Amino acid sequence: DTEVTQTPKHLVMGMTNKKSLKCEQHMGHRAMYWYKQKAKKPPELMFVYSYEKLSINESVPSRFSPECPNSSLLNLHLHALQPEDSALYLCASSRLARSYNEQFFGPGTRLTVL
Amino acid sequence: GESVGLHLPTLSVQEGDNSIINCAYSNSASDYFIWYKQESGKGPQFIIDIRSNMDKRQGQRVTVLLNKTVKHLSLQIAATQPGDSAVYFCAENTDFGNEKLTFGTGTRLTIIP
């Protein structure tokens, strides 16, 4: 299995809702990532988990809460989002090796906040 | 056809011609670089990568060139096909050990039949 899967594919939520995005990989990768991508812009890093521990938080607002239950799963819990949070949310994983440590991306969740 | 990345975010190339997509990176300490292809509605797809101890690496129909002196990266695609139409991003690793990638602004490549 050489892919990163994300669910749901699309999500519409109100500003008072609580929802979660899910990401899964079965490549044995020990680093997992959340990115946010606005239209016609490059992906922007939000969080990095290394060996199931949060290693990077790019000053993301607390209304986004990541969770890494095990080495294969990554969640992003959403609460009290704003319309400007509407974007494509991408999950990625990598081996955490010291050479050629490419990140593999999932297809993304298209989030719309009303 | 050739793009200059930040200054020319779109590139149109005739099918069958070669494409060159350019990227100027920012951090002279970066030691790992990746090219990604992103088709509409999909996540970025890994194309090819290169470490700073190399200046050229080849894959299937693609070649990445790295010029550390001028902090410049390029992606050459040989004999372009309609399926090559996408946005191409370069990414640099600026924090080795934490695997933090910083993406360039991207170049949209359109293949003209």
Side-chain angles (χ1 to χ4, degrees):
Chain A
D1 189 349
T2 57
E3 63 175 32
V4 176
T5 59
Q6 291 187 244
T7 55
K9 196 172 175 63
H10 300 276
L11 178 62
V12 179
M13 60 186 291
M15 290 189 282
T16 58
N17 292 157
K18 283 186 182 180
K19 297 286 185 183
S20 296
L21 309 184
K22 296 185 183 302
C23 174
E24 191 165 4
Q25 57 88 14
H26 294 288
M27 295 179 278
H29 290 173
R30 302 310 300 272
M32 296 187 76
Y33 310 77
W34 281 116
Y35 287 85
K36 174 182 178 179
Q37 186 177 27
K38 300 286 268 185
K40 300 183 181 179
K41 297 288 187 183
E44 294 177 10
L45 183 66
M46 300 174 72
F47 303 103
V48 180
Y49 273 83
S50 302
Y51 299 102
E52 295 103 71
K53 297 259 189 301
L54 184 65
S55 59
I56 295 179
N57 176 340
E58 290 287 278
S59 302
V60 178
S62 59
R63 57 186 184 268
F64 295 91
S65 175
E67 179 196 19
C68 190
N70 59 55
S71 60
S72 299
L73 293 173
L74 186 66
N75 298 322
L76 185 63
H77 303 297
L78 314 173
H79 174 55
L81 295 193
Q82 304 296 310
E84 59 264 29
D85 296 321
S86 298
L88 181 68
Y89 287 84
L90 294 161
C91 174
S93 69
S94 69
R95 283 174 295 163
L96 262 187
R98 286 197 68 83
S99 61
Y100 296 105
N101 191 26
E102 64 268 29
Q103 294 183 19
F104 293 88
F105 283 82
T109 293
R110 175 74 59 189
L111 174 68
T112 302
V113 181
L114 301 177
Chain B
E2 187 167 338
S3 86
V4 292
L6 291 175
H7 303 291
L8 216 111
T10 62
L11 176 65
S12 295
V13 175
Q14 205 73 36
E15 182 178 353
D17 286 353
N18 297 334
S19 301
I20 299 175
I21 300 171
N22 296 298
C23 177
Y25 65 92
S26 56
N27 190 338
S28 57
S30 293
D31 61 358
Y32 180 55
F33 305 88
I34 304 178
W35 279 101
Y36 284 96
K37 171 187 180 183
Q38 188 172 24
E39 296 175 88
S40 182
K42 297 185 179 180
Q45 175 189 358
F46 171 86
I47 301 174
I48 192 167
D49 56 6
I50 190 167
R51 279 231 171 270
S52 57
N53 60 354
M54 301 176 72
D55 52 21
K56 181 179 180 179
R57 195 166 189 224
Q58 287 184 291
Q60 190 174 16
R61 278 201 312 120
V62 294
T63 301
V64 55
L65 299 177
L66 175 62
N67 185 330
K68 295 181 287 293
T69 303
V70 296
K71 293 190 289 185
H72 183 268
L73 196 65
S74 69
L75 176 71
Q76 299 178 1
I77 306 174
T80 50
Q81 303 166 359
D84 294 329
S85 292
V87 176
Y88 290 80
F89 292 103
C90 64
E92 61 183 298
N93 186 311
T94 55
D95 189 12
F96 188 72
N98 285 322
E99 311 313 324
K100 178 175 175 178
L101 285 181
T102 301
F103 283 78
T105 54
T107 297
R108 178 173 296 282
L109 176 65
T110 301
I111 306 304
I112 305 164

